[in-house]
């Protein structure tokens, strides 16, 4: 509950206008407290959150085990640099390795940084055989730092920031022939999201990831999977690649990695990880004890509460509700794309109107790629909350349909 003398949303907005760089489009609401899939603003209004923390709050707002682990850790040790050993980082790396492909971890603080690390590792690994090119997919998203931005094959994010990093090649997504033409003897790596998130929840075509894997093997390129959005259980498996018949050489994860605490990781096969010698790459805050304790608590929560299976059930329930909306309004709602708790609703109109109408009804959803509503609900969401939010969506769509 907001304290009596706590600032109003309006007062906080005035502070931002004065002192915060306006590089985000923000809704005029100041959020103060959350629990699970509910969140409250400074005026005490409650919202139902279908997009908690932009996918970072995979376990909902303030998941109890994560809160307890962080509270305990800040009283012991807040930060120690990577010139020392710390138990939590070792245990977190072990937990991630055992849930993926047995690789080793480099820790950082965000998705972009994890992808920077992966791109640097791929270039360093390919250097002796003169491999430097990085192939990425159109409509992909890999972050805003320079190499991650260059890897992001969307002109709207590049505008104004040229010249970009040399050596990147873009191919259409889900087009194996185009990839085969682009991957050559100088290709160090192919970097791809197994499911495109920001690009509108685009699932891989049958055989596409498997095809990329064999192209990489044939031509001596690494396969890097950007699981910044899909990783740590979002899709119903620990990592999305586990739905397909492949393993990557390198994987990146961030967003949901540590229960909402800032954290990123690059996991690489041991032989490839060995390319990084002491001093070649670093992150001051990477793998700090708070983030690693939070990550371990997130993994424990998913394990003990059976949340990987729950992701599948959440996807199925959303699918039933959203398909009903689509069949009632087929010319407005074109397609539903779902993998676990990763949900895209493609419309024939701009989705931002729907986001605003949902906000008026205190339901938080996201619009991406112009005409796609993106939902990344918490794995702890209740059936009743799914039904309530979908009823709001149905009402909004019906209202727009007239
Ligand atoms: C969000 C995202 C990133 C960037 O992560 P940041 O933590 O914002 O740097 C990279 N890749 C994918 C797939 C993402 O969804």
């Amino acid at each position: 509950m907001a304290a009596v003398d706590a600032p109003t949303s309006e007062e906080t907005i005035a502070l931002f206008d004065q002192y915060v760089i306006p590089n985000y489009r923000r809704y005029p609401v100041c959020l103060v407290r959350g629990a699970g899939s509910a969140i409250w603003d400074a005026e005490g209004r409650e919202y139902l959150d279908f997009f908690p923390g932009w996918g970072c709050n995979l376990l909902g707002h303030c998941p109890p085990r994560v809160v307890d682990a962080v509270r305990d850790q800040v009283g012991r040790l807040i930060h120690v640099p990577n010139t020392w050993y710390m138990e939590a980082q070792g245990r977190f790396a072990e937990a991630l390795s055992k849930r993926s492909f047995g690789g080793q971890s480099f820790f950082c603080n965000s998705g972009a940084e994890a992808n920077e690390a992966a791109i640097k590792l791929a270039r360093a690994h390919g250097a002796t055989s003169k491999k430097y090119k990085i192939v990425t997919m159109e409509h992909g998203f890999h972050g805003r730092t320079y190499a991650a931005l260059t890897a992001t094959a969307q002109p709207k994010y590049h505008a104004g920031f040229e010249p970009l990093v040399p050596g990147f090649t873009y191919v259409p997504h889900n087009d194996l022939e185009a990839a085969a033409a682009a991957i050559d003897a100088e290709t160090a790596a192919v970097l791809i999201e197994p499911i495109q998130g920001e690009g509108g929840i685009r699932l891989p075509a049958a055989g596409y990831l498997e095809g990329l894997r064999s192209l990489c093997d044939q031509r001596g390129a690494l396969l890097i999977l950007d699981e910044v959005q899909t990783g740590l259980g979002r899709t119903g498996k620990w990592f999305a690649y586990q739905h397909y018949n492949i393993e990557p050489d390198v994987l990146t994860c961030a967003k949901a990695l540590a229960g909402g605490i800032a954290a990123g990781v690059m996991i690489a096969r041991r032989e490839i990880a060995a390319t990084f010698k002491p001093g070649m790459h670093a992150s001051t805050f990477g793998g700090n004890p708070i983030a690693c304790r939070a990550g371990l608590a997130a993994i424990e929560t998913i394990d003990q509460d059976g949340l990987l299976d729950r992701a599948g059930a959440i996807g199925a329930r959303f699918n039933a509700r959203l398909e009903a909306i689509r069949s009632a309004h087929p010319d407005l709602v074109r397609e539903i794309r779902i993998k676990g708790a990763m949900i895209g609703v493609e419309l024939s109109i701009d989705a931002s109107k729907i986001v605003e109408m949902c906000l008026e009804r205190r339901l938080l959803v996201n619009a991406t790629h112009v005409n796609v509503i993106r939902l990344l609900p918490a794995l702890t969401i209740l059936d009743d909350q799914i039904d309530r939010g979908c009823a709001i969506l149905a009402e909004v769509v019906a209202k727009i349909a007239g």
Side-chain angles (χ1 to χ4, degrees), residues 54 110-113 115 141-143 193 226 228-229 254-255:
W54 206 266
S110 69
E113 274 179 89
N115 287 329
F141 185 83
H142 302 292
E193 297 160 86
D226 178 343
V228 170
Q229 192 165 142
K255 291 197 167 81

Side-chain angles (χ1 to χ4, degrees), residues 50-170:
F50 273 5
F51 199 65
W54 206 266
C56 300
N57 299 323
L58 178 67
L59 307 177
H61 295 284
C62 301
R65 286 187 191 81
V66 175
V67 170
D68 288 346
V70 169
R71 282 194 171 135
D72 177 67
Q73 186 60 44
V74 288
R76 289 170 192 272
L77 197 58
I78 291 178
H79 182 63
V80 276
N82 281 301
T83 36
W84 306 98
Y85 291 92
M86 53 199 119
E87 182 197 346
Q89 189 179 129
R91 281 176 51 220
F92 193 27
E94 176 190 33
L96 292 169
S97 184
K98 289 189 165 158
R99 284 163 184 78
S100 56
F101 49 94
Q104 293 180 308
S105 286
F106 162 80
F107 291 101
C108 50
N109 313 289
S110 69
E113 274 179 89
N115 287 329
E116 292 289 327
I119 291 164
K120 284 180 73 177
L121 181 67
R123 287 227 170 136
H125 180 260
T128 49
S129 41
K130 301 219 155 37
K131 292 176 184 291
Y132 67 95
K133 291 181 188 165
I134 310 288
V135 174
T136 69
M137 311 304 155
E138 289 172 8
H139 304 312
F141 185 83
H142 302 292
R144 308 297 194 125
T145 55
Y146 255 104
L149 173 70
T150 308
T152 296
Q154 299 196 51
K156 70 174 178 191
Y157 292 123
H158 294 172
F161 298 113
E162 297 89 352
L164 300 176
V165 179
F168 285 75
T169 310
Y170 310 132

